[in-house]
């Protein structure tokens, strides 16, 4: 442990910590590894510490003790482990609990001892060679889909085959625009329901049947983002819709059977719990500290560097400290943007560039895994609130969720995000050389 000094002459090894001679100033607590801290008297420097402070009430007493020691410098000759960051690396096969400040969840990080990141990842069995003639998303087959909602094309003929990005209604919609959104009840007020009012649209990302999103030319990805924004902002004008989720299912384990690259959008008459919760947590953090939780988190990650995959002038791709799944990757704006709908068009090329890099690294490094991608953005009416940053989440589907995870809601991640980031950075560098 190069970045630490001995305490009472004994190396600060976690296993022997309990055996250290007690100090009269009561410094002899075991390190707070699970809380992202190794020293009970470390200064408050991170959002994790903020959480500790508010939830465990540690901050007050810690602050007092730090002040006391500062005023009595000669009273203690302890040397404490010097850690560069609260996000300390663990030795590679130690399991720990990491706190997710964005969801208030604990994540179990239990790295497998396997040499490869995932010993037996879920693999796609669907053949990539589905027939183009029978693919309803291929140009020339427009009549096989419902009439289009919108499209980018040089010509002006609706449903013609010259489009570059095409939007159609989902043939099997989860929610439908005609349904009544009013809340109603069954026999008892305990059983509430609403009509399944909503919108469910499919975005065909490219005319090319075989070209995955990360392999598209950057200007094609920009066209897709422009179209996503256009539909997003258009649907938000409908007061019945409270939230819009943009998502992508790639591969069998992510829940798609359509090979042709596409993503989807669902507008809902209520704000889904997960979005509401993340937004509320960020709001509370802002009330308490005056700082945006996500901008603070991004700042910490950029300082720390170990979990950063890529950075460009507008965006950063990072693997979050408390990643819920192996190789989880987020893309966040580096300026204050709460809503995906309000990303300036001048920044879309930078967004396309970094998304392409992240997807290519995941595709090449993990052998075209199934993945889900979601865009988390402020709910309707909160688009200009300063405490949120909209972000893309890429969630590779390399493992199945276990009964423990479903029952507890506590994810088990078997790859350290630091190791995953380092691995993807290597692939990203190799991709850049290959270009
Ligand atoms: Zn001491
Ligand atoms: Zn196709």
């Amino acid at each position: 442990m190069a970045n630490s000094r001995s305490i009472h002459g004994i190396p600060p090894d976690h296993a022997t910590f309990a055996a250290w001679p007690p100090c009269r100033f009561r410094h002899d607590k075991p390190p707070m590894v699970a809380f992202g801290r190794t020293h009970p008297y470390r200064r408050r420097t991170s959002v994790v510490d903020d959480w500790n402070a508010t939830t465990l009430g540690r901050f007050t007493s810690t602050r007092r003790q730090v002040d006391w020691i500062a005023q009595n410098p000669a009273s203690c000759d302890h040397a404490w482990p010097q850690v560069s960051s609260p996000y300390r690396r663990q030795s590679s096969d130690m399991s720990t609990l990491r706190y997710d400040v964005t969801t208030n969840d604990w994540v179990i990080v239990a790295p497998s001892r396997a040499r490869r990141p995932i010993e037996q990842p879920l693999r796609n069995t669907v053949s990539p060679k589905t027939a183009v003639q029978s693919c309803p998303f291929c140009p020339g087959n427009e009549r096989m889909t419902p009439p289009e909602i919108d499209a980018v094309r040089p010509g002006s003929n609706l449903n013609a085959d010259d489009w570059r990005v095409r939007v159609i209604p989902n043939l099997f919609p989860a929610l439908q625009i005609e349904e009544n959104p009013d809340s109603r009840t069954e026999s008892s007020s305990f059983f509430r329901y609403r009509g399944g009012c909503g919108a469910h649209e499919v975005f065909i990302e490219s005319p090319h049947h075989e070209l995955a999103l990360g392999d598209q030319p950057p200007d094609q990805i920009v066209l897709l983002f422009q179209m996503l924004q256009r539909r997003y902002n258009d649907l938000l004008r409908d007061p019945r819709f409270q939230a819009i989720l943009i998502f992508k299912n790639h591969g069998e384990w992510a829940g798609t059977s359509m090979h042709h690259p596409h993503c989807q959008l669902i507008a809902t008459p209520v704000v889904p719990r997960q979005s509401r919760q993340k937004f509320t947590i960020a709001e509370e953090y802002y009330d308490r500290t005056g700082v945006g939780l996500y901008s603070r988190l991004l700042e910490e990650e950029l300082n720390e560097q170990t979990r950063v995959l890529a950075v460009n002038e507008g965006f950063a791709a990072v693997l979050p400290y408390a990643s819920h799944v192996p190789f989880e990757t987020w893309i966040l704006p580096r300026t204050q943007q709460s809503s995906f709908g309000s990303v300036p068009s001048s920044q879309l090329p930078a967004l396309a560039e970094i998304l392409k890099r992240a997807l290519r690294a995941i595709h090449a490094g993990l052998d075209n895994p199934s993945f889900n991608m979601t865009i988390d953005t402020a709910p309707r009416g909160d688009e200009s609130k300063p405490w949120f940053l909209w972000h893309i989440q890429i969630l590779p589907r390399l493992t199945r969720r276990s009964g423990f995870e479903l029952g507890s809601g506590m994810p088990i991640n078997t790859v350290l995000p630091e190791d995953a980031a380092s691995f993807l950075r290597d692939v990203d560098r190799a991709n850049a050389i290959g270009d």
Side-chain angles (χ1 to χ4, degrees):
M1 214 173 289
N3 61 351
S4 60
R5 289 179 283 157
S6 69
I7 299 174
H8 292 305
I10 296 168
D13 167 41
H14 291 170
T16 58
F17 205 111
W20 290 356
C23 166
R24 65 196 172 98
F25 297 114
R26 305 186 65 251
H27 295 180
D28 49 320
K29 294 180 191 170
M32 295 295 174
V33 173
F35 300 143
R37 293 151 52 110
T38 51
H39 190 296
Y41 294 164
R42 265 178 44 71
R43 268 167 41 74
R44 167 185 170 175
T45 54
S46 78
V47 286
V48 178
D49 286 351
D50 290 336
W51 175 83
N52 273 330
T54 49
T55 312
L56 301 181
R58 282 218 181 87
F59 184 57
T60 319
S61 60
T62 302
R63 187 75 251 176
R64 230 180 274 130
Q65 285 160 336
V66 169
D67 291 345
W68 188 88
I69 289 171
Q71 290 155 16
N72 299 272
S75 60
C76 171
D77 58 359
H78 255 151
W80 288 93
Q82 303 295 300
V83 292
S84 57
S85 149
Y87 294 159
R88 226 176 122 269
R89 275 293 288 277
Q90 317 298 333
S91 81
S92 65
D93 54 2
M94 191 196 299
S95 75
T96 50
L97 290 163
R98 288 188 176 191
Y99 192 71
D100 184 344
V101 292
T102 65
T103 58
N104 289 353
D105 280 326
W106 287 101
V107 176
I108 297 177
V109 182
S112 73
R113 288 153 192 268
R115 269 175 292 122
R116 293 173 48 196
I118 303 274
E119 199 50 62
Q120 286 183 315
L122 299 175
R123 297 225 167 269
N124 295 319
T125 54
V126 174
S127 157
K129 297 286 173 201
T130 45
V132 168
Q133 299 93 310
S134 63
C135 172
F137 293 175
C138 271
N141 295 343
E142 287 75 16
R143 70 201 143 67
M144 294 166 70
T145 70
E148 71 193 25
I149 295 167
D150 204 345
V152 181
R153 60 159 56 85
S156 55
N157 293 331
L158 286 178
N159 299 303
D161 65 359
D162 59 346
W163 53 271
R164 293 188 65 193
V165 176
R166 187 163 186 254
V167 188
I168 53 173
N170 192 303
L171 201 52
F172 308 103
L175 296 168
Q176 278 164 304
I177 220 152
E178 307 81 34
E179 297 289 336
N180 182 348
D182 294 341
S183 183
R184 285 167 278 176
T185 55
E186 307 272 2
S187 50
S188 137
S189 63
F190 202 72
F191 302 113
R192 274 197 298 163
Y193 73 103
R194 290 166 184 263
C197 169
H200 192 164
E201 302 181 355
V202 176
F203 294 71
I204 308 170
E205 294 163 2
S206 151
H208 292 277
H209 185 80
E210 292 293 341
L211 217 50
L213 181 56
D215 296 330
Q216 309 275 357
D219 61 339
Q220 181 70 28
I221 303 177
V222 170
L223 288 182
L224 173 66
F225 276 128
Q226 283 171 345
M227 183 55 88
L228 286 168
Q229 273 194 325
R230 199 150 100 193
R231 293 303 306 143
Y232 179 91
N233 289 324
D234 186 50
L235 284 164
L236 270 190
R237 277 181 218 115
D238 188 327
R240 293 175 302 171
F241 301 145
Q242 297 305 310
I244 294 175
L245 187 76
I246 293 166
F247 61 100
K248 178 175 173 65
N249 305 331
H250 172 86
E252 176 184 1
W253 297 105
T256 190
S257 50
M258 289 295 298
H259 180 73
H260 196 119
H262 65 285
C263 55
Q264 304 179 59
L265 166 161
I266 291 184
T268 54
V270 294
V271 181
R273 186 195 64 85
Q274 191 171 301
S275 312
R276 189 159 25 94
Q277 189 195 23
K278 284 177 79 170
F279 199 76
T280 305
I281 289 169
E283 181 174 3
E284 285 165 0
Y285 183 86
Y286 188 81
D287 286 348
R288 206 165 64 239
T289 64
V291 178
L293 176 63
Y294 288 82
S295 31
R296 180 73 196 281
L297 192 59
L298 180 57
E299 190 187 312
E300 294 266 344
E301 290 289 9
L302 292 177
N303 286 339
E304 179 83 1
Q305 287 291 320
T306 51
R307 286 173 298 275
V308 176
L309 168 57
V311 181
N312 66 19
E313 64 275 23
F315 299 87
V318 301
L319 286 75
Y321 173 72
S323 293
H324 289 207
V325 298
F327 296 90
E328 176 173 342
T329 304
W330 288 18
I331 293 170
L332 302 117
R334 296 177 64 195
T335 51
Q336 181 53 47
Q337 297 171 5
S338 295
S339 171
F340 168 70
S342 50
V343 181
S345 56
S346 61
Q347 291 196 14
L348 293 181
L351 180 59
E353 191 261 349
I354 204 159
L355 176 65
K356 184 176 164 74
R357 275 175 73 180
L359 289 177
R360 282 186 78 202
I362 288 168
H363 183 104
L366 303 172
D367 194 17
N368 188 18
S370 295
F371 68 87
N372 295 107
M373 190 170 98
T374 64
I375 295 185
D376 204 343
T377 178
R380 168 196 202 81
D382 289 322
E383 294 92 342
S384 55
K385 298 286 165 44
W387 51 76
F388 196 71
L389 289 184
W390 78 272
H391 52 281
I392 294 177
Q393 301 181 107
I394 304 168
L395 303 159
R397 301 295 292 265
L398 299 160
T399 54
R400 265 185 262 244
R401 294 186 76 193
S402 67
F404 172 80
E405 292 174 282
L406 291 169
S408 65
M410 193 189 279
I412 301 178
N413 181 351
T414 52
V415 180
L416 276 178
E418 294 76 22
D419 292 347
S422 156
F423 176 81
L424 291 182
R425 277 195 302 268
D426 288 346
V427 179
D428 179 53
R429 267 191 294 273
N431 282 343
I433 292 165
D435 283 344

